[in-house]
Amino acid sequence: MGIQRSSSASVTQVSHGGLPANHGAPAGARHRPLPPGAHSFDDANAQSPGAGALPDYVRDFCQGSLPEAAMRRIGFPWSQVLVERTLAEVAGTMLTAELALKHGIACNTAGGTHHAFRDFGSGFCIINDLAVTAAHLLDRRAVRRVLIVDLDVHQGDGTAAIFRLDPRVFTLSVHCEDNFPHRKQLSDLDVPLPRGVRDEEYLQVVKQALQSVLDSFQPDLVLYDAGVDTHELDALGFLELTDFGIYEREKQVFRMCMQRGVPVAGYVGGGYSADLDEVAWRHCALHEAAAITLHDCLT
């Protein structure tokens, strides 16, 4: 795992390992490997009552003893590399949140595994890094309220289910209604969109929803799942955002949080294409928008 500073405006960025070439996920589902670092997550982190993943489930996954049906639901074949990459991803999400609390904005080159529930994985998500991170910070009393903003094209069903009865966490999901998961969970605020929504309408919907929640819930931290599967050319999404629309979305989220003095940690979320460079370019909007927003706030 590595920590880097963006040269343009000193945005802290976290990056870490990836999957082997034969992992079986859709193209663009995960990222290229980097050496692991000292920040770690394992089943010991799942012991607290508010944990986002149950310790028995984490242990069984790490030991390779999950049933075959459970691995099929996840969508990856089990391997030790997958275990190491998964634990590094969760650790990276935790570290990114801690850095956001310190610096105001921080971004991860992975993260946003929002389909994982406490005791099972789904949709290429094994451990819900957003839930684990929120629970960890709340249990440490580093924060009192966490807002999870999920703008991936797919509803954050695992996150919604995990925090359904926890008033310390507000889950906001703006997603395409006619898409995976077909059985939706109940977020604190769900904004389902029809297929084909374009930039202008989408940005207005996000602005209204986020403004309302920021002002009413008044979070101490925002965890932002910035999935780019909302793009018009994405293989698994049915919305019609352009490159410009995604970039404007990222700036809008960062700006609205920073204007209220709320630290925000950004995670890349989903994005699917046969061309990995295209997906990587779309994800870059998150980091560029963070740098621009931080620069504007400091000048």
Side-chain angles (χ1 to χ4, degrees), residues 11-90:
V11 171
T12 305
Q13 298 172 327
V14 176
S15 58
H16 47 78
L19 292 175
N22 61 346
H23 53 68
R30 292 296 178 259
H31 307 275
R32 296 183 175 91
L34 289 173
H39 214 73
S40 63
F41 171 84
D42 55 29
D43 59 349
N45 296 88
Q47 297 294 333
S48 63
L54 295 183
D56 288 349
Y57 168 65
V58 174
R59 183 182 61 249
D60 288 347
F61 165 67
C62 291
Q63 295 176 351
S65 57
L66 286 178
E68 288 186 13
M71 292 305 302
R72 285 197 299 271
R73 185 170 190 172
I74 289 170
F76 293 131
W78 187 90
S79 69
Q80 188 58 43
V81 172
L82 178 64
V83 172
E84 293 170 0
R85 198 266 178 215
T86 299
L87 299 183
E89 179 174 44
V90 178

Side-chain angles (χ1 to χ4, degrees), residues 232-252:
E232 60 186 347
L233 299 180
D234 190 85
L236 300 182
F238 302 121
L239 300 183
E240 299 290 338
L241 270 65
T242 63
D243 290 342
F244 174 79
I246 288 176
Y247 180 57
E248 287 298 307
R249 180 192 71 176
E250 316 307 31
K251 288 197 299 181
Q252 180 172 275

Side-chain angles (χ1 to χ4, degrees), residues 99-255:
L99 292 168
L101 288 172
K102 182 178 180 179
H103 300 292
I105 292 180
C107 291
N108 197 340
T109 59
T113 50
H114 58 171
H115 296 311
F117 289 66
R118 274 198 174 97
D119 56 352
F120 65 90
S122 177
F124 307 112
C125 299
I126 300 167
I127 298 173
N128 193 312
D129 59 329
L130 301 171
V132 167
T133 297
H136 174 71
L137 293 173
L138 288 164
D139 289 346
R140 281 179 43 208
R141 299 186 179 179
V143 294
R144 294 177 300 165
R145 292 181 298 275
V146 177
L147 168 59
I148 299 178
V149 177
D150 194 329
L151 301 186
D152 191 280
V153 79
H154 307 105
Q155 190 212 34
D157 56 334
T159 314
I162 289 169
F163 292 119
R164 183 69 191 96
L165 300 177
D166 192 335
R168 303 172 301 171
V169 179
F170 193 104
T171 54
L172 165 62
S173 181
V174 181
H175 53 269
C176 181
E177 173 69 14
D178 186 19
N179 208 329
F180 181 89
H182 300 296
R183 178 179 295 177
K184 305 290 193 291
Q185 300 293 318
L186 187 63
S187 307
D188 290 297
L189 177 58
D190 282 304
V191 185
L193 300 173
R195 293 189 181 205
V197 169
R198 297 182 180 275
D199 291 350
E200 185 175 358
E201 179 182 357
Y202 180 89
L203 291 170
Q204 185 62 30
V205 167
V206 169
K207 180 180 179 180
Q208 290 176 352
L210 183 56
Q211 179 175 288
S212 173
V213 175
L214 283 171
D215 292 342
S216 60
F217 186 65
Q218 297 185 343
D220 301 311
L221 173 68
V222 168
L223 304 180
Y224 173 37
D225 184 339
V228 296
D229 40 14
T230 52
H231 194 275
E232 60 186 347
L233 299 180
D234 190 85
L236 300 182
F238 302 121
L239 300 183
E240 299 290 338
L241 270 65
T242 63
D243 290 342
F244 174 79
I246 288 176
Y247 180 57
E248 287 298 307
R249 180 192 71 176
E250 316 307 31
K251 288 197 299 181
Q252 180 172 275
V253 171
F254 285 126
R255 184 172 59 249

